[in-house]
């Protein structure tokens, strides 16, 4: 049963029943079965494109995975972008059980998250007032939204200290994102899932920073799991690829396996990690995750070998590897002499999820970590967010990053009111687009809006929305040389793809228009030169779009009236209805975070912890 407390069909039926009772309609879209006979399904709120993916070795497991993840994200209020609705609670992300705390109150609490926050800024020994001043200077978004210096904070249960602590939501979300969010048929099953994800990403980061050579998982060991061995042999039949299963347990401590697929003679490869206390399931997850939404051999397009290790330890590179598996891994992973020997992880075959959850929490606390858990099971399907400060961070946030996100909020406001974009404020758009240019899933203009059905963003479908908007901002500034640089970048990228010839011709005509403006500095004169080279259709479009540089954004991007009208869209109303149901569920089923201790029967008597988590690092 894969450590599932009930069958996948029972899980699906239960969750479908909850959605039906809430009158939330969803679409199920199946992707093509992979060559490994694994399955992927997309579960979305009907008509919105907002939802989650499920994957598994059978259709039943894929469906259960998809619906469970849907509820994990739904109950954590992490489905899609933040849609603007009429409820005032939208200012606080929709969570009703938080408190507005001052910087002084947050810092006086001195919990492990706040300690780590200041340690990362080399301010661990700073005075109380210095910490307050730093926090206020960086976290200005709350002041902009609410015109007051308080920070909305959500409750988490601290297992080590046995008490509830409040973390400022706009601070911790940037650090942890969805890492550690989990759901399951029971609280213990969910907690095991969440801890598995945290461990997987913790080990993945250590691959980037410590650059170990990984040992092979012996074939004799893989044979203990027949369905894994069958998939492994099936992959190895393709002579164009080399397939390896590598041990990432660091000497048997962490139940993490890595599937590596190399396309021979190209330098391209893909690495996918999987984690679960049962090592067979850990290996299975590496396979099923690699086939999510694609055939498994397409996974080799994630990385290329680079003996210079360019940007390997860059935060954006590591984050991209977490999100969609795209990233530059250190070449040392492929070394012939492993940094540690293969050692089987603990056998948990006779343990229950409750026993595993208890054991793991004890281990983390013994290693000096705090385990903070937030129960969000408002729809009565066990769902949580687990945070382990010093271990589960998706990235270590700097003051610069917080300021960029403050600016992102400003930019979102400008795009909602395109007529207010001027020569003076385009610099904020340019800077924000540049910062996120390499950040997968964040380098998308649509993410700056709440809901965009039937509203097209130029070049967004080709993945070039950000550089195109940047180019338009430069044109507003009459900086044609930098605009030309952005448009040439787009042309070079889309030339390598199979796209509509008219789209390529249009971007090429813009490129030549901008190059002409760099030299001639006259709109009409530039068009006259281009008339003999491009069809009249393109000349007319260039004339209409660029005659007035100040209006190029207004002419191409949705107006505030268009965006406001979207609220009458049926699909917008569907998501708004789902959000309203989330609010109602919190009111109907409020949660006392102290009850988490009872839910998973944590035995604190076994805990003897080291205050210094760094002592846990294996040499």
């Amino acid at each position: 049963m894969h450590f599932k407390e009930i069958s996948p069909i029972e899980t699906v039926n239960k969750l479908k029943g909850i959605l039906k009772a809430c009158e939330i309609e969803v679409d199920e879209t199946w992707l093509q079965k992979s060559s490994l006979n694994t399955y992927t399904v997309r579960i979305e709120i009907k008509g919105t494109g907002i939802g989650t993916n499920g994957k598994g070795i059978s259709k039943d497991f894929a469906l259960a995975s998809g619906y469970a993840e849907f509820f994990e994200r739904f109950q954590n209020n992490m489905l899609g972008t933040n849609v603007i609705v009429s409820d005032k609670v939208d200012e606080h992300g929709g969570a009703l059980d938080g408190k507005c705390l001052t910087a002084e109150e947050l810092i006086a609490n001195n919990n492990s998250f706040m300690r780590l926050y200041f340690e990362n800024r080399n301010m661990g020994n700073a005075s109380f007032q210095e910490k307050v001043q730093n926090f206020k200077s960086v976290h200005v978004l709350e002041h902009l939204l609410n015109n007051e210096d308080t920070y909305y904070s959500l409750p988490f249960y601290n297992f080590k200290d046995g008490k509830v602590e409040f973390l400022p939501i706009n601070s911790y979300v940037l650090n942890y994102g969805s890492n550690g969010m989990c759901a399951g048929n029971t609280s213990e099953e969910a907690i095991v899932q969440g801890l598995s994800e945290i461990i997987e990403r913790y080990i993945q980061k250590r691959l980037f920073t410590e650059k170990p050579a990984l040992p092979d998982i012996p074939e004799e060991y893989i044979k203990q799991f027949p369905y894994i061995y069958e998939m492994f042999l099936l992959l190895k039949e393709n002579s164009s690829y080399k397939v390896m299963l590598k041990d990432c347990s660091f000497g048997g401590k962490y139940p993490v396996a890595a599937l590596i697929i190399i396309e021979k003679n190209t330098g391209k490869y893909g690495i996918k990690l999987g984690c679960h206390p049962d090592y067979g399931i850990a290996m299975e997850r590496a396979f099923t995750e690699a086939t999510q939404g694609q055939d498994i051999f397409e996974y080799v397009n994630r990385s290329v070998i680079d003996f210079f290790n360019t940007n390997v330890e860059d935060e954006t590179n590591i984050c991209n590897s977490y999100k969609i598996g795209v990233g530059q891994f250190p070449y040392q992973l492929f070394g012939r002499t492993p940094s540690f020997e293969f050692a089987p992880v603990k056998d948990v075959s006779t343990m229950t999820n409750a026993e595993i959850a208890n054991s793991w929490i004890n281990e983390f606390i013994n290693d000096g970590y705090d385990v903070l858990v937030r129960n969000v099971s408002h729809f009565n399907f066990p769902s949580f967010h687990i945070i382990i400060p010093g271990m589960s961070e998706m990235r270590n946030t700097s003051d610069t990053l917080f300021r960029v996100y403050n600016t992102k909020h400003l930019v979102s406001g400008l795009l909602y009111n395109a007529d207010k974009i001027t020569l003076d404020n385009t610099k904020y758009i340019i800077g924000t687009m540049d910062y996120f240019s390499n950040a997968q899933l964040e380098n998308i203009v649509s993410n700056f809006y709440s809901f965009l059905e039937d509203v097209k963003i130029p070049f967004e479908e080709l993945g070039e929305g950000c550089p195109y908007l940047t180019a338009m901002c430069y044109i507003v500034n009459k900086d044609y040389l930098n605009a030309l640089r952005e448009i040439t970048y787009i042309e070079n990228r889309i030339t390598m793809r199979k796209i509509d010839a008219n789209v390529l011709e249009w971007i090429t005509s813009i490129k030549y228009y901008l190059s002409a403006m760099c030299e001639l500095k006259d709109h009409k004169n530039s068009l006259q030169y281009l008339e003999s080279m491009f069809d009249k259709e393109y000349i007319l479009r260039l004339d209409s779009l660029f005659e007035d540089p100040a209006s190029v954004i207004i002419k191409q991007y949705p107006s505030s009236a268009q965006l406001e009208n979207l609220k009458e869209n049926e699909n917008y109303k569907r998501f708004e209805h789902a959000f309203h149901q989330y609010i109602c569920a919190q009111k109907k089923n409020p949660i006392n975070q102290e009850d988490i201790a009872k839910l998973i029967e944590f035995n604190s008597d076994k805990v003897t912890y080291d205050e210094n988590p760094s002592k846990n690092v294996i040499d």
Side-chain angles (χ1 to χ4, degrees), residues 370-520:
D370 278 4
V371 179
L372 310 178
V373 182
R374 173 170 166 76
N375 185 359
V376 294
S377 313
H378 297 288
F379 288 96
N380 292 313
F381 184 69
S383 300
F384 302 86
H385 191 187
I386 306 170
I387 288 175
I388 304 180
M391 184 180 197
S392 65
E393 289 76 24
M394 291 275 281
R395 54 189 165 193
N396 293 318
T397 51
S398 63
D399 289 354
T400 298
L401 183 64
F402 281 109
R403 292 189 172 104
V404 167
Y405 273 88
N406 293 339
T407 307
K408 183 179 180 180
H409 178 79
L410 169 66
V411 169
S412 181
L414 289 173
L415 291 175
Y416 264 92
N417 299 274
D419 56 326
K420 295 183 179 179
I421 296 175
T422 65
L423 186 67
D424 293 329
N425 56 36
T426 52
K427 62 185 178 184
Y428 300 117
I429 301 177
I430 292 170
T432 303
M433 296 297 147
D434 180 66
Y435 187 90
F436 290 112
S437 61
N438 294 317
Q440 296 293 328
L441 305 182
E442 293 185 270
N443 54 355
I444 302 172
V445 178
S446 302
N447 282 348
F448 288 76
Y449 296 89
S450 293
F451 191 85
L452 280 175
E453 187 182 22
D454 299 329
V455 177
K456 302 297 183 184
I457 301 299
F459 288 90
E460 188 84 328
E461 291 182 354
L462 295 175
E464 308 299 339
C466 283
Y468 186 83
L469 177 56
T470 300
M472 296 305 107
C473 287
Y474 279 126
I475 291 172
V476 170
N477 286 272
K478 298 182 181 179
D479 183 350
Y480 293 103
L481 184 60
N482 274 317
L484 174 63
R485 183 194 65 199
E486 297 291 335
I487 293 298
T488 302
Y489 168 81
I490 295 172
E491 184 194 43
N492 290 339
R493 281 167 57 89
I494 67 176
T495 298
M496 298 182 289
R497 308 176 204 161
K498 294 180 180 179
I499 64 168
D500 188 317
N502 292 330
V503 175
L504 182 56
E505 290 170 359
W506 170 236
I507 203 71
T508 300
S509 71
I510 295 175
K511 181 186 75 170
Y512 282 110
Y513 169 78
L514 295 174
S515 61
M517 288 296 293
C518 287
E519 290 298 315
L520 305 178

Side-chain angles (χ1 to χ4, degrees), residues 80-359:
T81 56
N82 291 323
V83 174
I84 296 176
V85 295
S86 56
D87 286 89
K88 275 293 275 185
V89 293
D90 187 59
E91 296 172 358
H92 297 146
L96 302 184
D97 60 340
K99 290 182 180 179
C100 287
L101 300 177
T102 64
E104 288 83 358
E105 288 172 318
L106 286 169
I107 294 164
N109 287 340
N110 196 34
N111 60 49
S112 54
F113 171 74
M114 294 305 299
R115 290 197 299 272
L116 181 68
Y117 177 91
F118 288 109
E119 286 167 7
N120 286 341
R121 288 158 176 74
N122 296 316
M123 294 184 65
N125 295 320
S127 71
F128 181 84
Q129 200 52 47
E130 286 172 331
K131 291 178 179 179
V132 169
Q133 187 57 40
N134 171 269
F135 195 84
K136 285 184 175 181
S137 70
V138 174
H139 295 79
V140 299
L141 187 57
E142 287 84 351
H143 183 79
L144 293 172
L145 288 173
N146 306 323
N147 199 30
E148 57 186 42
D149 291 323
T150 59
Y151 308 89
Y152 198 65
S153 304
L154 298 182
F156 285 74
Y157 182 77
N158 184 331
F159 273 97
K160 187 172 80 174
D161 295 337
K163 66 179 182 179
V164 172
E165 297 181 329
F166 284 80
L167 308 186
I169 185 171
N170 285 338
S171 300
Y172 80 72
V173 165
L174 278 189
N175 280 272
Y176 303 101
S178 64
N179 194 22
M181 290 184 181
C182 52
N185 296 296
T186 65
S187 298
E188 295 88 351
E189 180 185 311
I191 294 292
V192 169
Q193 300 302 317
L195 293 175
S196 294
E197 180 176 72
I198 287 171
I199 293 170
E200 178 186 314
R201 288 175 170 171
Y202 168 71
I203 292 301
Q204 190 156 322
K205 185 166 187 175
R206 287 183 64 176
L207 298 188
F208 287 102
T209 58
E210 298 179 27
K211 305 176 181 61
L214 298 173
D216 290 316
I217 300 174
E219 196 159 328
E220 287 302 312
Y221 184 85
I222 302 171
K223 287 180 181 179
Q224 297 179 43
F225 310 93
Y227 69 107
I228 301 297
Y229 189 56
E230 182 180 339
M231 289 193 289
F232 183 57
L233 292 181
L234 188 60
L235 285 183
K236 293 181 75 171
E237 288 178 2
N238 192 321
S239 61
S240 298
Y241 299 87
K242 183 173 183 178
V243 180
M244 298 178 284
L245 275 170
K246 292 285 188 176
D247 173 34
C248 302
S249 71
F250 282 84
K253 182 173 178 64
Y254 304 103
V256 181
L259 172 67
I260 301 179
I261 305 176
I262 301 170
E263 185 175 30
K264 292 181 180 178
N265 308 317
T266 66
K268 296 193 294 184
Y269 66 92
I271 296 180
K272 190 69 195 83
L273 273 61
C275 177
H276 189 273
D278 181 288
Y279 209 58
I281 298 175
M283 289 186 285
E284 177 193 312
R285 286 185 173 174
F287 282 97
T288 56
E289 290 279 353
T291 59
Q292 180 175 299
Q294 63 185 0
D295 192 72
I296 194 163
F297 289 114
E298 295 176 34
Y299 203 75
V300 297
N301 294 315
R302 294 298 198 273
S303 308
V304 293
I305 192 74
D306 177 8
F307 290 99
F308 297 100
N309 278 345
T310 308
N311 296 326
V312 158
E313 294 189 42
D314 181 76
E315 287 277 353
T316 299
N317 180 60
I318 296 172
C319 260
N320 288 342
S321 77
Y322 294 152
K323 289 186 276 190
I324 59 173
V326 172
Q328 283 303 118
F329 284 82
Y331 71 85
Q332 288 93 335
L333 299 186
F334 299 96
R336 301 293 292 273
T337 305
S339 302
F340 53 89
E341 296 300 319
F342 171 79
V345 298
K346 179 180 177 180
D347 181 8
V348 298
S349 59
T350 61
M351 296 176 68
T352 65
N353 280 312
E355 290 169 331
I356 294 171
N358 200 312
S359 173

